[in-house]
Amino acid sequence: MRGVSERLAAGEVLLADGAIGTMLMARGLEAGACPETFAFERPEALEEIARLYTEAGADLVQANTFGASPLKLAAYGLEARTREIVLRAVECARRGAGEEALVYGSCGPCGRLLEPWGDVSPGEVRESFSTTMRVLAEAGVDAVIVETMTDVSEAAIAVRAAREAMPAVPVVATMTFDRTPRGFFTIMGTGIEEACRALEEAGAAALGSNCGQGSGAMVEIAAEFRRRTALPVAIQPNAGIPRREAGATVWPEPPAFMAARVRDLLRLGVRIVGGCCGTTPEHVRAFREAVEGGGA
Ligand SMILES: [Zn+2]
């Protein structure tokens, strides 16, 4: 199978998968529980999710390693199991993907605020992400996505940790933005221009946004990224902004609705598309048709 860098260099569009978290909740993950424990408690569920996304037509399926950094796992007393969690999560994704899809390691925020806003130093964050990245390298992932980041310093530390641990593996870096009267900014105040500069400098192979917004706002965010970077842009919207209905969480954007926005993203020249919270294999199936149609 051809790799991510090769396919991006050839001008191809890569289809990533959809949500993992909401898929795990549908398989019994309790609120407040550690999603990464599925690697040893319910490996068959992780394999199933990867298989469902692969069958839906994803080129890239993620390993369930979003929170698998020692700093984040420490919140559950699980930091000593980082290596086991990462290796098993990648194995599960690989089994589900078979020969049909590439596997990427996900790296979300460390869950602590960096100095001067919080109590954790850049060095501690670097050590934590480096630990995870070294295991992802050992597991042989095809790519890494540093995602859902709101602090650009933390995102850059994670990208650099990945580049050091596996120089040949491409790193996609995406941040989560809010709409403000001054434009799109992360909750920590990072704008798109600043994100582009910092993440390019850190060595990202592609950059963009995931989570936080439905597909309409993501088209606006994508257009701004396209104006501000020459690197491939990656966009993974949520299935809208969720609402509570009769005690259940409802994600308002169905597959066909989102697929129309994916066509807009493709017309803008976005090169990696996928879904974030609330998206399902049905969404990815609809995105596949959009990608095959080239945005037409
Ligand atoms: Zn999300």
Side-chain angles (χ1 to χ4, degrees):
M1 217 183 323
R2 290 156 65 241
V4 173
S5 302
E6 214 177 334
R7 295 175 68 172
L8 287 176
E12 290 176 35
V13 169
L14 287 170
L15 178 59
D17 54 2
I20 295 285
T22 41
M23 294 284 280
L24 293 178
M25 285 175 211
R27 284 159 181 75
L29 174 67
E30 311 253 347
C34 175
E36 283 71 30
T37 57
F38 267 62
F40 45 84
E41 284 172 0
R42 301 275 308 282
E44 73 293 344
L46 295 185
E47 182 180 338
E48 181 206 359
I49 293 168
R51 190 174 56 249
L52 290 172
Y53 280 125
T54 302
E55 287 169 358
D59 298 307
L60 287 165
V61 297
Q62 66 185 292
N64 184 43
T65 55
F66 179 84
S69 57
L71 272 177
K72 185 74 190 274
L73 290 172
Y76 306 97
L78 289 169
E79 68 274 27
R81 300 186 78 174
T82 302
R83 183 165 179 274
E84 176 193 2
I85 285 171
V86 172
L87 288 177
R88 286 181 178 222
V90 174
E91 265 170 38
C92 291
R94 193 66 84 184
R95 275 200 302 273
E99 297 296 311
E100 306 302 315
L102 299 163
V103 170
Y104 65 100
S106 162
C107 173
C110 70
R112 305 262 296 270
L113 287 179
L114 267 76
E115 295 165 349
W117 300 280
D119 60 354
V120 64
S121 73
E124 288 171 86
V125 174
R126 188 175 311 117
E127 186 45 46
S128 176
F129 284 144
S130 291
T131 300
T132 302
M133 296 303 178
R134 283 192 293 266
V135 188
L136 285 171
E138 179 186 348
V141 289
D142 300 300
V144 169
I145 184 165
V146 170
E147 59 176 334
T148 325
M149 289 286 175
T150 56
D151 179 344
V152 74
S153 325
E154 181 180 2
I157 289 171
V159 170
R160 287 202 169 88
R163 300 293 295 141
E164 276 167 28
M166 44 194 142
V169 173
V171 183
V172 180
T174 57
M175 301 191 68
T176 300
F177 297 93
D178 296 322
R179 191 192 291 279
T180 80
R182 297 179 301 126
F184 289 101
F185 285 86
T186 72
I187 199 168
M188 300 297 290
T190 303
I192 292 174
E193 166 90 65
E194 185 188 358
C196 288
R197 273 202 322 272
L199 299 173
E200 283 173 5
E201 205 178 289
L207 42 88
S209 183
N210 77 293
C211 208
Q213 299 288 345
S215 56
M218 278 298 202
V219 174
E220 296 176 55
I221 290 172
E224 195 171 336
F225 267 99
R226 285 285 288 148
R227 283 196 296 276
R228 298 189 188 280
T229 183
L231 288 179
V233 171
I235 299 286
Q236 300 197 232
N238 287 351
I241 308 297
R243 56 175 189 266
R244 296 289 291 177
E245 251 173 44
T249 303
V250 176
W251 295 89
E253 297 189 5
F257 178 91
M258 287 191 81
R261 303 293 91 71
V262 166
R263 287 185 181 87
D264 295 337
L265 293 172
L266 297 173
R267 280 194 290 270
L268 282 170
V270 171
R271 301 286 302 286
I272 300 176
V273 292
C276 202
C277 304
T279 59
T280 63
E282 287 66 43
H283 288 85
V284 169
R285 209 176 296 280
F287 298 173
R288 181 83 251 167
E289 285 175 31
V291 169
E292 293 306 314

